[in-house]
Structures are given as structure tokens and as C-alpha cells.
Amino acid sequence: MRVRLSVVLTSAIVLGIGLITLLGMTVGNDFGGLTVLVTATPIRLLTEIFLRLASLVLALSVLVGVLNLFVVNISRVVRGRTAGARLGSLLIVASFLLVVFLRVMDSVNATRNLAVFTETVQVPLEASLAGLLFFALVWGGMRVLRRGLTFGRVMFVAAMLVVLLGALPVRGVGLLYELNNWLLNVPVSAGARGILLGVGLATLIAGVRVLIGQDRQYGE
Amino acid sequence: MDSTTQAISFFIVLIALVTNAIVRRNRFPQRDIPALRALPAMAGTSIETNKPLHLSFGDAAVGDRDTLLALASADFFYASARAVALGETAPIVTVGSATTLQVARDMLRRAHTTSQAAAEFRPFNVRWVPGAGYALAAMASAMTRDDRLSGHLIAGNYGPEIALPLWSGEQSGVLTLATSTRLAGQAVAYAMADHTLIGEELFAAGGYVTDDPGLSNRVLVMDLARWLLIAALFIGAVVSFARGA
């Protein structure tokens, strides 16, 4: 069986750093032999160094991101598939340069033009997107059964209707109000916890498998 | 971290190690995930129409609590990008966090290299959309027509704003497959996407769409650990009920 040196090397680095950091972060003062191991060796110091290095790398990745943003949109202005793509990227590049210019002017003149720009452009834009979202959700709710009649979709629409009708501030819907409360407190709550537990468990297992070298998304 | 949390953490890690060892020695059948049956059709549409497939990591960021979500999404997208890399139009990947940019770029590079299409790899097909959330959803939404997409594969931790790209996808008649680890995003994806992965299915997806035995084992470990957790919850409930009685 051929084993590539790069895979062995990267696996050894990932496993070593991962296990040292795990021990340094989780082992407390009442874990018997593990506590002795952690306190007698420089594991905690190494953990701290690894965490600082990680923070530094993460901070530098923002610079890489800014470069990516700029180059991607410049190339899209030139070679975009449609006029919309070219115009959109041109606006992004122009906004980027404008924000940099405003930031520099603010620091030189002690003004707050960037804050005003954010308040008058970005916040209203996001608010209008949130408004648009309402229509998208209504559209989605309307079309959910057009994709095919399944038990899950019928339940989804029925539950949605009960919740919406139960929330109406009118008299004479007491039964619906009770049903709405039961629905939210029992099956919806149980389902939501089930999904979150599933995601949590899957995250944990994926993490453990990376730490013990079973999953290797690196070194290829 | 207090001692109870530490003890529970070690217990869970132990369960994960034990189930991993059990699965390595035995072969178990994988359960069916219907949404994943749509992937070959989505890749085929991208190749036949010469339009790019959009893969979105959402806000998942390497370095915070979503690190493993980003890695699981990368496994899933790797298989999808590999299938599409056989065509002439490379997929477009969007990320909401600059720290995920390198993971996404490496994923796309590996997909092209293993498909013998390294020359088709375009590093700037991986795009960072700062601000994430609404900004990323709006960008993905605009890309549907601007970049003439063939479909959206959306994963990550979107909130209700996931409706925007799904809505534009429906308006443009492109196929969509979506999932979110946030409940609001998951509910919207279920209502609006053509195909939906629910909860931990994203973490299992890599095992279904690749021939990597390691990833297939991960699915089985997850299933086994889940049954152990269900058993533990059930026993806990019975013991608690018995004590009360």
C-alpha cells in the first residue's frame, strides 16, 4: 500500500495539534492522571500558543478576503456573463473604493461620513430586503403543495394555518388558540430539539473523527 | 469548563470513539436520503446547459463554532463540484466568511484535480461576500440571472433570508437544494427548495455522494451514536418516571 508523505505529515500535524489543544482546553484539576500529564508538561502553554496562532491566521484571512473581493469583481466587470453581472460588480468596486475613501477622510478630518453613509445607504437597503423577504415567504408558503402532495408537506401547511389562525386577535377562536399553544409547546418543540440534537451530535462526531484521523480533508 | 461538563464531554467523545470502532469492523447499510438523489441531475443540467452551479457555504466560518459545519459542507460540495468539473463551466462558490475562503478554494481545486480537469480550475470562482446574512442571500439571489446559474446548492447557517435565493431560483426555473442548521432557515428551505437536507443530513451527505469509505463510515457512526443517545434519553425518562412514582 502506497502512503503519500504529504498525507502522513499533514495528518501528524493535525492530530498532534488537535489532541494537545483538546487536552489543554478540557482537562481540569480533578482528572487524575490526565491532570498530572497536563500540568507536568507544557501542554497548556502550547495550547495557548496554538490559539494565538489561530487568531492571527484568522485575522490575516480577512486581508485575503478583501483581495479576493476586489479581484473577483474587477474580473467580473470585464468578463461578466451578463450586463447585470458587470454592472453589479462595478457598483461593488465603486462602493468599496468610496468606503475606503470615506474612512481615510474621517480619520484625517475627524468627521463621521462613513457612519452617515452606513446609516443612509446600508441600513435602509437591508430593511428593504427584509421587506422583500415577507413576499418571498408568502410566495413559498403558497407554492409548497404545488411541488407534490406528501405527508410532510400537508402537515407543514396544516401546522402553518393553525399557527396563523391561532395568532389572530379575534374572539371565537379559543379552540384554535389552545391547539396553537399545544402545537408549539409539544410537537414543534420536540421536533426542533430533535433537529438541534441531531446537528449537535453530527458536529461532535465529525470533530472527533478529524481528531482521530478518520476524516482527512487535507493533504491531497 | 466545570467538571460535570468535562465528564459529559469525555463520555460523549468515548461514545463516538466506540461507535467508530464498531463501524470500522462491520458493514451496515446506509439509510436513504431522498434529496441526494437530485444531485446527479443537477450536475448533469450544469454540464448540458453550460451554466455554472452555485455552491454556497452561507455564514459557516472556520475558526468559530461553525468550523465543522464548514468542513461538512466542503465534503458535500467537493463531490458536487467533482461531478460538474467534467463540464466546461466551473461551479461558482460563495462564502460569507473570509476564513472559509481557503477551505472553499482548496475544495474546488481538489475537485478539478481529481476529475483530471486541473486546467479548468478558476480560483476566483470562489467569492467572498462580506456581511453574510442578507448580503449573501441578496448576492446569491442576484447571481441567479446575472451569472446564468443552472442551480443552487445552499448549505450553512442561513436564517429566513434563505428564501431570497430560493425565490429567485424558482422564478428563473433553476433547481435548488438547500439546508440550514438554523431552525428558521431549515423551515423556509423545506417550504421553498426543490430538495431539502434536514438537520444532520448535511454532515452525512459527503458519505453518500463520494466513494470515500471514511465518509461512509461517518454516516454510520452518526446513526449509531444517535440510537445510543435515544436509548440514553429513553432510559433517563423511565428512571425519572420510576423515581417520581
Side-chain angles (χ1 to χ4, degrees):
Chain A
M1 192 176 75
R2 282 182 61 202
V3 180
R4 287 171 55 192
L5 183 64
S6 63
V7 173
V8 174
L9 199 64
T10 47
S11 298
I13 292 171
V14 169
L15 296 186
I17 291 179
L19 286 174
I20 287 173
T21 310
L22 182 71
L23 283 174
M25 295 284 289
T26 53
V27 173
N29 294 322
D30 47 0
F31 264 78
L34 280 177
T35 305
V36 174
L37 175 75
V38 167
T39 47
T41 55
I43 284 181
R44 286 204 172 128
L45 178 68
L46 283 173
T47 302
E48 204 174 310
I49 292 170
F50 292 151
L51 290 178
R52 282 185 187 173
L53 277 174
S55 309
L56 194 67
V57 170
L58 294 180
L60 283 174
S61 67
V62 175
L63 282 180
V64 177
V66 170
L67 188 69
N68 170 280
L69 180 75
F70 201 68
V71 176
V72 162
N73 284 291
I74 290 283
S75 88
R76 207 159 165 249
V77 168
V78 180
R79 289 198 297 265
R81 283 172 79 95
T82 58
R86 288 192 287 272
L87 184 65
S89 284
L90 188 64
L91 279 174
I92 291 173
V93 173
S95 309
F96 175 79
L97 294 174
L98 180 64
V99 167
V100 171
F101 174 73
L102 288 176
R103 183 72 189 87
V104 171
M105 293 305 286
D106 280 357
S107 58
V108 172
N109 301 331
T111 51
R112 53 185 300 277
N113 291 323
L114 184 57
V116 172
F117 181 75
T118 307
E119 283 162 18
T120 52
V121 178
Q122 191 178 342
V123 173
L125 272 177
E126 288 204 356
S128 45
L129 270 177
L132 193 64
L133 186 64
F134 169 74
F135 293 101
L137 290 173
V138 171
W139 174 266
M142 271 167 55
R143 291 188 55 90
V144 69
L145 289 180
R146 290 197 188 180
R147 295 175 197 280
L149 216 57
T150 62
F151 177 73
R153 284 182 183 141
V154 171
M155 285 294 289
F156 185 89
V157 172
M160 190 173 69
L161 286 176
V162 169
V163 170
L164 286 176
L165 291 174
L168 283 177
V170 291
R171 291 185 179 187
V173 289
L175 187 65
L176 269 177
Y177 179 74
E178 293 294 323
L179 188 61
N180 179 20
N181 273 348
W182 176 82
L183 206 63
L184 290 176
N185 290 329
V186 184
V188 172
S189 173
R193 286 177 193 187
I195 288 175
L196 292 176
L197 272 176
V199 171
L201 197 63
T203 308
L204 182 85
I205 285 168
V208 170
R209 285 176 60 84
V210 168
L211 278 179
I212 60 173
Q214 291 293 309
D215 284 356
R216 286 188 293 266
Q217 292 102 336
Y218 42 80
E220 285 181 26
Chain B
M1 200 185 283
D2 62 76
S3 354
T4 312
T5 314
Q6 283 173 345
I8 291 172
S9 307
F10 271 107
F11 179 67
I12 294 174
V13 168
L14 196 66
I15 287 179
L17 287 171
V18 170
T19 47
N20 195 50
I22 293 170
V23 164
R24 279 187 78 185
R25 290 181 189 171
N26 301 284
R27 303 294 302 171
F28 296 98
Q30 292 184 344
R31 68 192 153 91
D32 184 38
I33 299 181
L36 296 177
R37 286 190 228 130
L39 267 186
M42 292 181 82
T45 306
S46 171
I47 293 170
E48 284 164 18
T49 57
N50 206 18
K51 291 177 176 176
L53 185 63
H54 172 227
L55 314 173
S56 176
F57 277 81
D59 287 3
V62 175
D64 70 10
R65 66 196 181 109
D66 290 325
T67 301
L68 290 161
L69 174 63
L71 295 181
S73 302
D75 283 337
F76 175 47
F77 290 154
Y78 167 68
S80 317
R82 228 178 114 178
V84 177
L86 298 168
E88 289 176 8
T89 310
I92 296 173
V93 187
T94 54
V95 298
S97 162
T99 57
T100 314
L101 201 60
Q102 294 308 317
V103 172
R105 189 176 289 181
D106 183 56
M107 176 277 296
L108 198 59
R109 182 193 56 77
R110 280 191 296 134
H112 279 86
T113 308
T114 49
S115 297
Q116 314 292 327
E120 301 299 321
F121 170 57
R122 301 278 178 272
F124 291 113
N125 268 19
V126 182
R127 300 173 184 174
W128 177 43
V129 183
Y134 277 104
L136 187 55
M139 182 71 182
S141 179
M143 277 168 54
T144 309
R145 284 194 178 141
D146 288 352
D147 287 280
R148 294 190 183 130
L149 298 178
S150 67
H152 286 288
L153 283 187
I154 301 173
N157 53 0
Y158 278 95
E161 69 273 8
I162 198 174
L164 294 173
L166 296 177
W167 188 26
S168 81
E170 170 140 9
Q171 299 282 320
S172 303
V174 305
L175 283 171
T176 51
L177 190 157
T179 183
S180 174
T181 52
R182 280 166 65 185
L183 289 171
Q186 177 72 78
V188 173
Y190 184 80
M192 296 186 70
D194 294 314
H195 308 279
T196 321
L197 292 171
I198 296 175
E200 83 287 354
E201 286 178 352
L202 172 67
F203 290 83
Y208 283 82
V209 292
T210 64
D211 48 6
D212 182 346
L215 290 177
S216 307
N217 276 353
R218 184 164 79 188
V219 181
L220 300 173
V221 172
M222 273 193 286
D223 282 351
L224 203 54
R226 192 172 46 200
W227 281 111
L228 283 174
L229 183 69
I230 290 169
L233 287 173
F234 184 72
I235 291 167
V238 169
V239 169
S240 168
F241 180 75
R243 277 186 186 165

